[in-house]
Amino acid sequence: MVVLVTGASRGIGREIALELGDDHDVAVNYRRSESAATRVVEKIEDRGSEAIAVQADVADSGAVGSMVDTVVEELGGLDAVVNNAGIVDPDLATEIDDEQWARVVETNLTGAFTVTRAALEHLVPGGDVVFVSSIGATAGTVDASYAASKAGLHGLTRVLAREYGDDGVQVNAVAPGPVETEMNGTILEYLEGIEFRGHENVDTHLPEYACQPADVAHTVAYLLENEYVQGEIVNVNGGMGFR
Ligand code: NDP
């Protein structure tokens, strides 16, 4: 199986690419971090799978089309896409300017859509799509641009599962709580600055360790293996989401 993982140069995407690289060939997408992406490729090759690094800003639909063509050409097909690339640029709603809003939504939501749209002709029949959402989509945490972009992924998951399920394409999402990565550092710094407006309410039932990228990667691997999970949003948040 050939899998494209977007935003796989570091953090959660890197871990997903490495875990999937145990059994599958992997295209490691990145925007800027070429050398980090190359190191991920080398690690996957050490595990005996094929891997390539593919540069593309997921918010640029032209670049996305070329990226998908490159993956199909160089790895011989495309069977699964993990839409992990994402950014956060948090502010209170009245402080978010148009450019900030557009950048977050175009990367997190529109980017995931254009990558999937470009990939779908190769995924039929029998392929997989996984979106990396966030607890922010349902808990209303972080900020408006981030939560709205991630909530959009839930709608996309359900629509695409309906539209392409009969073609054997499985479409699901994982929704992590806070995971120890660079991005989470940015989020925590922001939340401390606004004195956790309501965010402390979701902090319940947590395991004793902070969620790691590998916890999310295991869930993505499970979704790719399991044929019978369809149109689901799988929470990976240690119980934060229920009270
Ligand atoms: P990081 O900031 O650590 O890594 C982000 C990755 O996405 C990098 O590889 C970066 O590549 C890539 N990326 C960013 N923008 C683009 C773009 N326009 N095109 C292609 N690649 C891009 O983030 P995390 O690992 O923490 O987050 C990964 C995903 O998980 C995101 O979608 C995030 O929203 C989600 N998530 C994270 C949580 C957390 O607490 N960390 C919690 C819930 C969800 P490069 O360096 O080359 O720019």
Side-chain angles (χ1 to χ4, degrees), residues 159-228:
V159 168
L160 295 179
R162 284 190 196 284
E163 290 185 356
Y164 295 93
D166 283 351
D167 295 321
V169 179
Q170 254 180 293
V171 187
N172 292 289
V174 290
V179 184
E180 270 195 343
T181 66
E182 264 182 49
M183 177 186 283
N184 196 237
T186 309
I187 293 171
L188 289 178
E189 201 177 307
Y190 166 70
L191 293 179
E192 274 159 26
I194 61 163
E195 294 171 346
F196 288 84
R197 291 191 184 199
H199 287 74
E200 72 279 8
N201 293 340
V202 292
D203 251 358
T204 53
H205 310 291
L206 290 177
E208 285 185 356
Y209 74 100
C211 188
Q212 298 300 313
D215 295 303
V216 182
H218 298 334
T219 312
V220 172
Y222 154 81
L223 287 172
L224 294 192
E225 275 162 30
N226 190 310
E227 290 296 310
Y228 240 84

Short mmCIF file of all heavy atoms in Angstrom, two decimals, residues 159-228:
data_model
loop_
_atom_site.label_atom_id
_atom_site.label_comp_id
_atom_site.label_asym_id
_atom_site.label_seq_id
_atom_site.Cartn_x
_atom_site.Cartn_y
_atom_site.Cartn_z
N VAL A 159 -19.50 13.50 4.64
CA VAL A 159 -19.95 13.60 3.24
C VAL A 159 -19.15 12.64 2.35
O VAL A 159 -19.72 11.91 1.54
CB VAL A 159 -19.79 15.05 2.72
CG1 VAL A 159 -19.96 15.11 1.20
CG2 VAL A 159 -20.80 15.96 3.38
N LEU A 160 -17.84 12.63 2.51
CA LEU A 160 -17.02 11.78 1.63
C LEU A 160 -17.28 10.30 1.90
O LEU A 160 -17.25 9.48 0.97
CB LEU A 160 -15.54 12.10 1.80
CG LEU A 160 -15.13 13.52 1.37
CD1 LEU A 160 -13.64 13.74 1.61
CD2 LEU A 160 -15.46 13.77 -0.10
N ALA A 161 -17.57 9.94 3.18
CA ALA A 161 -17.89 8.53 3.49
C ALA A 161 -19.18 8.14 2.77
O ALA A 161 -19.30 7.04 2.24
CB ALA A 161 -18.03 8.34 5.00
N ARG A 162 -20.14 9.05 2.73
CA ARG A 162 -21.40 8.76 2.01
C ARG A 162 -21.15 8.68 0.50
O ARG A 162 -21.64 7.80 -0.18
CB ARG A 162 -22.42 9.88 2.26
CG ARG A 162 -23.07 9.80 3.61
CD ARG A 162 -24.23 10.78 3.69
NE ARG A 162 -24.61 10.98 5.07
CZ ARG A 162 -25.30 10.11 5.80
NH1 ARG A 162 -25.71 8.98 5.25
NH2 ARG A 162 -25.58 10.36 7.05
N GLU A 163 -20.40 9.67 -0.03
CA GLU A 163 -20.26 9.75 -1.49
C GLU A 163 -19.38 8.63 -2.06
O GLU A 163 -19.61 8.18 -3.18
CB GLU A 163 -19.67 11.12 -1.88
CG GLU A 163 -20.65 12.26 -1.65
CD GLU A 163 -20.11 13.61 -2.15
OE1 GLU A 163 -18.95 13.67 -2.60
OE2 GLU A 163 -20.86 14.59 -2.06
N TYR A 164 -18.36 8.22 -1.29
CA TYR A 164 -17.39 7.26 -1.86
C TYR A 164 -17.35 5.91 -1.14
O TYR A 164 -16.58 5.03 -1.53
CB TYR A 164 -15.99 7.90 -1.92
CG TYR A 164 -16.00 9.05 -2.90
CD1 TYR A 164 -16.26 10.36 -2.48
CD2 TYR A 164 -15.87 8.82 -4.27
CE1 TYR A 164 -16.36 11.40 -3.38
CE2 TYR A 164 -15.95 9.85 -5.18
CZ TYR A 164 -16.20 11.14 -4.73
OH TYR A 164 -16.30 12.16 -5.64
N GLY A 165 -18.19 5.75 -0.10
CA GLY A 165 -18.25 4.47 0.62
C GLY A 165 -18.61 3.32 -0.32
O GLY A 165 -18.02 2.23 -0.24
N ASP A 166 -19.54 3.56 -1.24
CA ASP A 166 -19.95 2.50 -2.17
C ASP A 166 -18.84 2.13 -3.13
O ASP A 166 -18.86 1.07 -3.75
CB ASP A 166 -21.19 2.95 -2.98
CG ASP A 166 -22.46 2.86 -2.15
OD1 ASP A 166 -22.39 2.29 -1.03
OD2 ASP A 166 -23.51 3.36 -2.61
N ASP A 167 -17.86 3.02 -3.27
CA ASP A 167 -16.69 2.72 -4.11
C ASP A 167 -15.58 2.06 -3.28
O ASP A 167 -14.44 1.94 -3.72
CB ASP A 167 -16.11 4.00 -4.72
CG ASP A 167 -17.09 4.65 -5.68
OD1 ASP A 167 -17.76 3.90 -6.43
OD2 ASP A 167 -17.18 5.89 -5.69
N GLY A 168 -15.93 1.71 -2.04
CA GLY A 168 -14.95 1.01 -1.20
C GLY A 168 -13.95 1.94 -0.54
O GLY A 168 -12.95 1.49 0.02
N VAL A 169 -14.20 3.24 -0.59
CA VAL A 169 -13.26 4.17 0.07
C VAL A 169 -13.74 4.40 1.50
O VAL A 169 -14.90 4.72 1.73
CB VAL A 169 -13.16 5.51 -0.69
CG1 VAL A 169 -12.21 6.46 0.02
CG2 VAL A 169 -12.72 5.27 -2.12
N GLN A 170 -12.82 4.21 2.45
CA GLN A 170 -13.13 4.45 3.86
C GLN A 170 -12.64 5.84 4.24
O GLN A 170 -11.48 6.19 3.95
CB GLN A 170 -12.33 3.47 4.71
CG GLN A 170 -13.14 2.35 5.31
CD GLN A 170 -12.22 1.48 6.12
OE1 GLN A 170 -11.34 0.82 5.55
NE2 GLN A 170 -12.40 1.49 7.41
N VAL A 171 -13.49 6.62 4.88
CA VAL A 171 -13.12 7.99 5.25
C VAL A 171 -13.41 8.19 6.74
O VAL A 171 -14.56 8.04 7.18
CB VAL A 171 -13.92 9.02 4.43
CG1 VAL A 171 -13.40 10.43 4.71
CG2 VAL A 171 -13.87 8.72 2.95
N ASN A 172 -12.38 8.49 7.50
CA ASN A 172 -12.53 8.70 8.94
C ASN A 172 -11.66 9.86 9.39
O ASN A 172 -10.82 10.35 8.63
CB ASN A 172 -12.12 7.43 9.71
CG ASN A 172 -13.08 6.28 9.47
OD1 ASN A 172 -14.21 6.30 9.96
ND2 ASN A 172 -12.66 5.28 8.70
N ALA A 173 -11.86 10.28 10.63
CA ALA A 173 -11.01 11.33 11.21
C ALA A 173 -10.55 10.91 12.60
O ALA A 173 -11.24 10.13 13.27
CB ALA A 173 -11.80 12.64 11.31
N VAL A 174 -9.40 11.39 13.01
CA VAL A 174 -8.98 11.27 14.40
C VAL A 174 -9.00 12.67 15.00
O VAL A 174 -8.61 13.63 14.33
CB VAL A 174 -7.57 10.64 14.58
CG1 VAL A 174 -7.57 9.18 14.20
CG2 VAL A 174 -6.52 11.38 13.78
N ALA A 175 -9.46 12.77 16.23
CA ALA A 175 -9.55 14.08 16.88
C ALA A 175 -8.75 14.04 18.19
O ALA A 175 -9.28 13.67 19.23
CB ALA A 175 -11.01 14.43 17.15
N PRO A 176 -7.46 14.40 18.12
CA PRO A 176 -6.64 14.37 19.34
C PRO A 176 -6.96 15.53 20.28
O PRO A 176 -7.37 16.61 19.84
CB PRO A 176 -5.20 14.52 18.82
CG PRO A 176 -5.25 14.35 17.33
CD PRO A 176 -6.65 14.75 16.93
N GLY A 177 -6.72 15.29 21.57
CA GLY A 177 -6.62 16.38 22.54
C GLY A 177 -5.19 16.92 22.43
O GLY A 177 -4.51 16.67 21.43
N PRO A 178 -4.71 17.66 23.44
CA PRO A 178 -3.35 18.20 23.36
C PRO A 178 -2.30 17.08 23.23
O PRO A 178 -2.35 16.10 23.95
CB PRO A 178 -3.18 18.91 24.70
CG PRO A 178 -4.57 19.20 25.15
CD PRO A 178 -5.42 18.08 24.65
N VAL A 179 -1.39 17.26 22.26
CA VAL A 179 -0.34 16.27 22.01
C VAL A 179 0.99 17.02 22.11
O VAL A 179 1.11 18.13 21.58
CB VAL A 179 -0.47 15.67 20.59
CG1 VAL A 179 0.58 14.58 20.38
CG2 VAL A 179 -1.87 15.12 20.36
N GLU A 180 1.98 16.40 22.74
CA GLU A 180 3.27 17.09 22.93
C GLU A 180 4.02 17.28 21.61
O GLU A 180 4.70 16.37 21.14
CB GLU A 180 4.13 16.29 23.91
CG GLU A 180 3.90 16.72 25.33
CD GLU A 180 4.99 16.23 26.27
OE1 GLU A 180 5.74 15.31 25.92
OE2 GLU A 180 5.06 16.76 27.37
N THR A 181 3.84 18.46 21.00
CA THR A 181 4.55 18.82 19.76
C THR A 181 4.83 20.33 19.80
O THR A 181 4.37 21.02 20.71
CB THR A 181 3.68 18.57 18.50
OG1 THR A 181 2.57 19.47 18.54
CG2 THR A 181 3.19 17.14 18.41
N GLU A 182 5.52 20.81 18.76
CA GLU A 182 5.78 22.26 18.65
C GLU A 182 4.48 23.05 18.66
O GLU A 182 4.36 24.09 19.30
CB GLU A 182 6.48 22.55 17.32
CG GLU A 182 7.96 22.65 17.44
CD GLU A 182 8.60 22.99 16.10
OE1 GLU A 182 8.17 23.93 15.42
OE2 GLU A 182 9.58 22.29 15.75
N MET A 183 3.48 22.54 17.91
CA MET A 183 2.22 23.28 17.82
C MET A 183 1.58 23.43 19.19
O MET A 183 1.04 24.48 19.53
CB MET A 183 1.24 22.57 16.89
CG MET A 183 -0.11 23.26 16.84
SD MET A 183 -1.34 22.39 15.90
CE MET A 183 -0.86 22.74 14.24
N ASN A 184 1.66 22.39 20.00
CA ASN A 184 1.00 22.45 21.30
C ASN A 184 1.66 23.50 22.19
O ASN A 184 0.99 24.15 23.00
CB ASN A 184 0.98 21.08 21.98
CG ASN A 184 -0.01 21.04 23.11
OD1 ASN A 184 0.34 20.76 24.25
ND2 ASN A 184 -1.25 21.41 22.83
N GLY A 185 2.99 23.70 22.00
CA GLY A 185 3.68 24.76 22.74
C GLY A 185 3.07 26.12 22.41
O GLY A 185 2.81 26.94 23.30
N THR A 186 2.79 26.36 21.13
CA THR A 186 2.18 27.63 20.69
C THR A 186 0.80 27.79 21.33
O THR A 186 0.43 28.88 21.79
CB THR A 186 2.01 27.64 19.15
OG1 THR A 186 3.24 27.29 18.56
CG2 THR A 186 1.53 28.98 18.64
N ILE A 187 0.03 26.71 21.34
CA ILE A 187 -1.34 26.78 21.88
C ILE A 187 -1.29 27.08 23.38
O ILE A 187 -2.02 27.95 23.87
CB ILE A 187 -2.09 25.46 21.61
CG1 ILE A 187 -2.32 25.27 20.10
CG2 ILE A 187 -3.43 25.42 22.36
CD1 ILE A 187 -2.87 23.91 19.69
N LEU A 188 -0.41 26.38 24.10
CA LEU A 188 -0.35 26.58 25.56
C LEU A 188 0.05 28.01 25.91
O LEU A 188 -0.51 28.63 26.81
CB LEU A 188 0.62 25.58 26.20
CG LEU A 188 0.12 24.13 26.20
CD1 LEU A 188 1.18 23.21 26.80
CD2 LEU A 188 -1.19 24.00 26.98
N GLU A 189 1.02 28.53 25.15
CA GLU A 189 1.48 29.91 25.39
C GLU A 189 0.30 30.88 25.20
O GLU A 189 0.07 31.78 26.02
CB GLU A 189 2.57 30.23 24.37
CG GLU A 189 3.46 31.36 24.77
CD GLU A 189 4.55 31.54 23.72
OE1 GLU A 189 5.24 30.55 23.39
OE2 GLU A 189 4.66 32.66 23.22
N TYR A 190 -0.47 30.67 24.16
CA TYR A 190 -1.62 31.53 23.89
C TYR A 190 -2.65 31.41 25.01
O TYR A 190 -3.15 32.42 25.53
CB TYR A 190 -2.26 31.14 22.55
CG TYR A 190 -3.63 31.75 22.34
CD1 TYR A 190 -3.78 33.12 22.13
CD2 TYR A 190 -4.78 30.96 22.39
CE1 TYR A 190 -5.04 33.69 21.96
CE2 TYR A 190 -6.04 31.52 22.22
CZ TYR A 190 -6.17 32.88 22.00
OH TYR A 190 -7.41 33.43 21.84
N LEU A 191 -2.97 30.17 25.40
CA LEU A 191 -4.01 29.98 26.41
C LEU A 191 -3.61 30.57 27.75
O LEU A 191 -4.45 31.13 28.46
CB LEU A 191 -4.33 28.48 26.57
CG LEU A 191 -4.98 27.81 25.35
CD1 LEU A 191 -5.21 26.33 25.61
CD2 LEU A 191 -6.31 28.49 25.00
N GLU A 192 -2.31 30.48 28.07
CA GLU A 192 -1.87 31.09 29.32
C GLU A 192 -2.08 32.60 29.28
O GLU A 192 -2.52 33.20 30.25
CB GLU A 192 -0.40 30.75 29.60
CG GLU A 192 -0.29 29.41 30.32
CD GLU A 192 1.08 28.78 30.18
OE1 GLU A 192 2.06 29.51 29.98
OE2 GLU A 192 1.14 27.53 30.27
N GLY A 193 -1.83 33.18 28.11
CA GLY A 193 -2.00 34.63 27.93
C GLY A 193 -3.43 35.09 28.10
O GLY A 193 -3.70 36.23 28.49
N ILE A 194 -4.40 34.23 27.78
CA ILE A 194 -5.80 34.66 27.91
C ILE A 194 -6.45 34.03 29.15
O ILE A 194 -7.67 33.94 29.26
CB ILE A 194 -6.63 34.32 26.65
CG1 ILE A 194 -6.67 32.81 26.37
CG2 ILE A 194 -6.15 35.10 25.45
CD1 ILE A 194 -7.78 32.40 25.42
N GLU A 195 -5.60 33.57 30.06
CA GLU A 195 -6.04 32.99 31.34
C GLU A 195 -7.08 31.88 31.14
O GLU A 195 -8.08 31.79 31.85
CB GLU A 195 -6.60 34.09 32.25
CG GLU A 195 -5.50 35.06 32.65
CD GLU A 195 -6.03 36.28 33.36
OE1 GLU A 195 -7.24 36.51 33.30
OE2 GLU A 195 -5.21 36.98 33.96
N PHE A 196 -6.85 31.01 30.15
CA PHE A 196 -7.67 29.82 29.98
C PHE A 196 -9.17 30.11 30.02
O PHE A 196 -9.91 29.48 30.74
CB PHE A 196 -7.34 28.77 31.05
CG PHE A 196 -6.01 28.13 30.84
CD1 PHE A 196 -4.87 28.75 31.30
CD2 PHE A 196 -5.90 26.93 30.17
CE1 PHE A 196 -3.62 28.17 31.09
CE2 PHE A 196 -4.65 26.34 29.96
CZ PHE A 196 -3.52 26.96 30.42
N ARG A 197 -9.63 31.04 29.22
CA ARG A 197 -11.08 31.34 29.19
C ARG A 197 -11.92 30.09 28.96
O ARG A 197 -12.27 29.76 27.84
CB ARG A 197 -11.40 32.31 28.07
CG ARG A 197 -10.88 33.69 28.30
CD ARG A 197 -11.50 34.60 27.29
NE ARG A 197 -10.90 35.91 27.46
CZ ARG A 197 -11.45 37.02 27.02
NH1 ARG A 197 -12.58 36.98 26.37
NH2 ARG A 197 -10.85 38.16 27.22
N GLY A 198 -12.25 29.41 30.03
CA GLY A 198 -13.13 28.25 29.92
C GLY A 198 -12.42 26.96 29.53
O GLY A 198 -13.00 25.89 29.57
N HIS A 199 -11.12 27.04 29.17
CA HIS A 199 -10.46 25.84 28.68
C HIS A 199 -10.22 24.82 29.78
O HIS A 199 -10.13 23.62 29.52
CB HIS A 199 -9.12 26.21 28.03
CG HIS A 199 -9.29 26.86 26.71
ND1 HIS A 199 -9.72 28.15 26.58
CD2 HIS A 199 -9.12 26.39 25.46
CE1 HIS A 199 -9.80 28.45 25.29
NE2 HIS A 199 -9.44 27.40 24.60
N GLU A 200 -10.12 25.28 31.04
CA GLU A 200 -9.85 24.32 32.13
C GLU A 200 -10.99 23.31 32.29
O GLU A 200 -10.79 22.22 32.79
CB GLU A 200 -9.57 25.06 33.46
CG GLU A 200 -10.77 25.71 34.11
CD GLU A 200 -11.10 27.07 33.50
OE1 GLU A 200 -10.49 27.45 32.47
OE2 GLU A 200 -11.96 27.75 34.05
N ASN A 201 -12.17 23.64 31.78
CA ASN A 201 -13.32 22.75 31.96
C ASN A 201 -13.19 21.43 31.21
O ASN A 201 -13.90 20.48 31.50
CB ASN A 201 -14.61 23.44 31.47
CG ASN A 201 -14.96 24.60 32.36
OD1 ASN A 201 -14.50 24.66 33.49
ND2 ASN A 201 -15.74 25.53 31.85
N VAL A 202 -12.34 21.40 30.20
CA VAL A 202 -12.22 20.15 29.44
C VAL A 202 -11.13 19.25 30.00
O VAL A 202 -10.95 18.13 29.53
CB VAL A 202 -11.96 20.40 27.93
CG1 VAL A 202 -13.17 21.02 27.27
CG2 VAL A 202 -10.74 21.24 27.72
N ASP A 203 -10.39 19.74 31.01
CA ASP A 203 -9.24 19.00 31.54
C ASP A 203 -9.61 17.95 32.57
O ASP A 203 -9.28 18.07 33.74
CB ASP A 203 -8.28 20.01 32.19
CG ASP A 203 -7.03 20.17 31.37
OD1 ASP A 203 -6.92 19.48 30.35
OD2 ASP A 203 -6.18 20.96 31.78
N THR A 204 -10.30 16.90 32.16
CA THR A 204 -10.70 15.88 33.13
C THR A 204 -10.34 14.49 32.62
O THR A 204 -10.12 14.31 31.42
CB THR A 204 -12.22 15.91 33.36
OG1 THR A 204 -12.85 15.83 32.09
CG2 THR A 204 -12.65 17.18 34.07
N HIS A 205 -10.28 13.53 33.51
CA HIS A 205 -10.13 12.11 33.16
C HIS A 205 -8.85 11.80 32.40
O HIS A 205 -8.81 10.86 31.61
CB HIS A 205 -11.31 11.63 32.28
CG HIS A 205 -12.65 11.96 32.83
ND1 HIS A 205 -13.15 11.39 33.97
CD2 HIS A 205 -13.59 12.82 32.39
CE1 HIS A 205 -14.36 11.87 34.21
NE2 HIS A 205 -14.64 12.75 33.27
N LEU A 206 -7.79 12.60 32.59
CA LEU A 206 -6.61 12.36 31.76
C LEU A 206 -5.71 11.27 32.31
O LEU A 206 -5.56 11.14 33.53
CB LEU A 206 -5.79 13.65 31.65
CG LEU A 206 -6.43 14.75 30.82
CD1 LEU A 206 -5.57 15.99 30.85
CD2 LEU A 206 -6.62 14.28 29.39
N PRO A 207 -5.07 10.48 31.44
CA PRO A 207 -4.02 9.58 31.89
C PRO A 207 -2.88 10.39 32.50
O PRO A 207 -2.82 11.61 32.35
CB PRO A 207 -3.54 8.90 30.60
CG PRO A 207 -4.62 9.12 29.62
CD PRO A 207 -5.29 10.40 30.00
N GLU A 208 -1.92 9.68 33.14
CA GLU A 208 -0.89 10.42 33.86
C GLU A 208 0.20 10.98 32.96
O GLU A 208 1.01 11.78 33.41
CB GLU A 208 -0.29 9.52 34.94
CG GLU A 208 -1.27 9.41 36.08
CD GLU A 208 -0.74 8.65 37.25
OE1 GLU A 208 0.38 8.13 37.14
OE2 GLU A 208 -1.47 8.57 38.25
N TYR A 209 0.24 10.57 31.72
CA TYR A 209 1.28 11.12 30.83
C TYR A 209 0.60 11.97 29.75
O TYR A 209 -0.58 11.78 29.44
CB TYR A 209 2.09 9.99 30.20
CG TYR A 209 1.36 9.22 29.11
CD1 TYR A 209 1.61 9.48 27.77
CD2 TYR A 209 0.42 8.24 29.42
CE1 TYR A 209 0.94 8.79 26.77
CE2 TYR A 209 -0.24 7.54 28.43
CZ TYR A 209 0.02 7.81 27.11
OH TYR A 209 -0.64 7.13 26.11
N ALA A 210 1.37 12.92 29.21
CA ALA A 210 0.82 13.76 28.14
C ALA A 210 0.73 12.94 26.86
O ALA A 210 1.60 12.12 26.57
CB ALA A 210 1.76 14.96 27.92
N CYS A 211 -0.31 13.16 26.09
CA CYS A 211 -0.52 12.42 24.84
C CYS A 211 0.68 12.64 23.91
O CYS A 211 1.16 13.77 23.74
CB CYS A 211 -1.81 12.90 24.17
SG CYS A 211 -2.28 11.89 22.76
N GLN A 212 1.16 11.57 23.33
CA GLN A 212 2.33 11.62 22.45
C GLN A 212 1.89 11.42 20.99
O GLN A 212 0.85 10.79 20.74
CB GLN A 212 3.32 10.51 22.85
CG GLN A 212 3.86 10.66 24.26
CD GLN A 212 4.60 11.97 24.47
OE1 GLN A 212 5.44 12.37 23.66
NE2 GLN A 212 4.26 12.68 25.55
N PRO A 213 2.69 11.91 20.04
CA PRO A 213 2.37 11.67 18.64
C PRO A 213 2.10 10.19 18.33
O PRO A 213 1.23 9.86 17.52
CB PRO A 213 3.63 12.18 17.91
CG PRO A 213 4.10 13.30 18.79
CD PRO A 213 3.85 12.82 20.20
N ALA A 214 2.80 9.29 19.01
CA ALA A 214 2.61 7.85 18.75
C ALA A 214 1.19 7.40 19.09
O ALA A 214 0.65 6.49 18.45
CB ALA A 214 3.62 7.03 19.53
N ASP A 215 0.57 8.02 20.10
CA ASP A 215 -0.81 7.63 20.46
C ASP A 215 -1.76 7.92 19.29
O ASP A 215 -2.70 7.16 19.04
CB ASP A 215 -1.27 8.40 21.71
CG ASP A 215 -0.45 8.01 22.94
OD1 ASP A 215 -0.43 6.81 23.27
OD2 ASP A 215 0.17 8.90 23.54
N VAL A 216 -1.50 9.01 18.59
CA VAL A 216 -2.33 9.35 17.43
C VAL A 216 -1.97 8.43 16.26
O VAL A 216 -2.86 7.92 15.56
CB VAL A 216 -2.14 10.84 17.03
CG1 VAL A 216 -3.03 11.20 15.86
CG2 VAL A 216 -2.42 11.75 18.23
N ALA A 217 -0.67 8.19 16.08
CA ALA A 217 -0.22 7.35 14.95
C ALA A 217 -0.82 5.94 15.05
O ALA A 217 -1.24 5.37 14.04
CB ALA A 217 1.30 7.28 14.93
N HIS A 218 -0.87 5.36 16.27
CA HIS A 218 -1.44 4.01 16.43
C HIS A 218 -2.90 4.01 15.96
O HIS A 218 -3.38 3.04 15.37
CB HIS A 218 -1.44 3.56 17.89
CG HIS A 218 -0.08 3.46 18.50
ND1 HIS A 218 1.06 3.24 17.77
CD2 HIS A 218 0.32 3.53 19.80
CE1 HIS A 218 2.10 3.22 18.59
NE2 HIS A 218 1.69 3.38 19.82
N THR A 219 -3.61 5.10 16.25
CA THR A 219 -5.04 5.17 15.89
C THR A 219 -5.21 5.26 14.38
O THR A 219 -6.10 4.63 13.81
CB THR A 219 -5.69 6.38 16.59
OG1 THR A 219 -5.31 6.36 17.96
CG2 THR A 219 -7.20 6.33 16.49
N VAL A 220 -4.33 6.03 13.74
CA VAL A 220 -4.39 6.13 12.28
C VAL A 220 -4.10 4.75 11.67
O VAL A 220 -4.80 4.30 10.75
CB VAL A 220 -3.39 7.19 11.75
CG1 VAL A 220 -3.31 7.15 10.23
CG2 VAL A 220 -3.80 8.58 12.24
N ALA A 221 -3.08 4.06 12.20
CA ALA A 221 -2.73 2.72 11.68
C ALA A 221 -3.93 1.77 11.83
O ALA A 221 -4.24 0.99 10.93
CB ALA A 221 -1.51 2.17 12.39
N TYR A 222 -4.60 1.86 12.98
CA TYR A 222 -5.78 1.02 13.22
C TYR A 222 -6.88 1.31 12.19
O TYR A 222 -7.50 0.39 11.65
CB TYR A 222 -6.28 1.27 14.65
CG TYR A 222 -7.74 1.02 14.89
CD1 TYR A 222 -8.22 -0.27 15.10
CD2 TYR A 222 -8.65 2.08 14.91
CE1 TYR A 222 -9.58 -0.50 15.30
CE2 TYR A 222 -10.00 1.86 15.12
CZ TYR A 222 -10.45 0.57 15.32
OH TYR A 222 -11.79 0.36 15.51
N LEU A 223 -7.10 2.58 11.89
CA LEU A 223 -8.14 2.95 10.91
C LEU A 223 -7.80 2.41 9.52
O LEU A 223 -8.69 2.00 8.77
CB LEU A 223 -8.33 4.46 10.86
CG LEU A 223 -9.04 5.06 12.08
CD1 LEU A 223 -9.00 6.59 12.03
CD2 LEU A 223 -10.49 4.57 12.17
N LEU A 224 -6.53 2.39 9.18
CA LEU A 224 -6.14 1.88 7.85
C LEU A 224 -6.29 0.36 7.79
O LEU A 224 -6.55 -0.21 6.73
CB LEU A 224 -4.71 2.27 7.51
CG LEU A 224 -4.43 3.76 7.32
CD1 LEU A 224 -3.05 3.98 6.69
CD2 LEU A 224 -5.48 4.44 6.45
N GLU A 225 -6.13 -0.31 8.95
CA GLU A 225 -6.23 -1.77 8.96
C GLU A 225 -7.67 -2.25 9.02
O GLU A 225 -8.01 -3.30 8.50
CB GLU A 225 -5.51 -2.34 10.19
CG GLU A 225 -4.03 -2.54 9.95
CD GLU A 225 -3.28 -2.67 11.26
OE1 GLU A 225 -3.87 -3.15 12.24
OE2 GLU A 225 -2.11 -2.25 11.28
N ASN A 226 -8.52 -1.48 9.73
CA ASN A 226 -9.88 -1.94 10.00
C ASN A 226 -10.81 -1.55 8.86
O ASN A 226 -10.93 -0.37 8.53
CB ASN A 226 -10.35 -1.30 11.32
CG ASN A 226 -11.64 -1.91 11.79
OD1 ASN A 226 -12.59 -2.02 11.03
ND2 ASN A 226 -11.66 -2.33 13.03
N GLU A 227 -11.45 -2.54 8.25
CA GLU A 227 -12.31 -2.28 7.09
C GLU A 227 -13.69 -1.78 7.49
O GLU A 227 -14.46 -1.33 6.66
CB GLU A 227 -12.49 -3.58 6.29
CG GLU A 227 -11.24 -4.04 5.55
CD GLU A 227 -10.81 -3.06 4.47
OE1 GLU A 227 -11.64 -2.66 3.64
OE2 GLU A 227 -9.63 -2.67 4.48
N TYR A 228 -14.03 -1.91 8.77
CA TYR A 228 -15.43 -1.70 9.14
C TYR A 228 -15.71 -0.41 9.91
O TYR A 228 -16.81 -0.21 10.42
CB TYR A 228 -15.96 -2.92 9.91
CG TYR A 228 -17.14 -3.54 9.18
CD1 TYR A 228 -16.92 -4.44 8.15
CD2 TYR A 228 -18.44 -3.16 9.48
CE1 TYR A 228 -17.98 -4.96 7.44
CE2 TYR A 228 -19.51 -3.68 8.77
CZ TYR A 228 -19.28 -4.58 7.75
OH TYR A 228 -20.33 -5.09 7.04
#
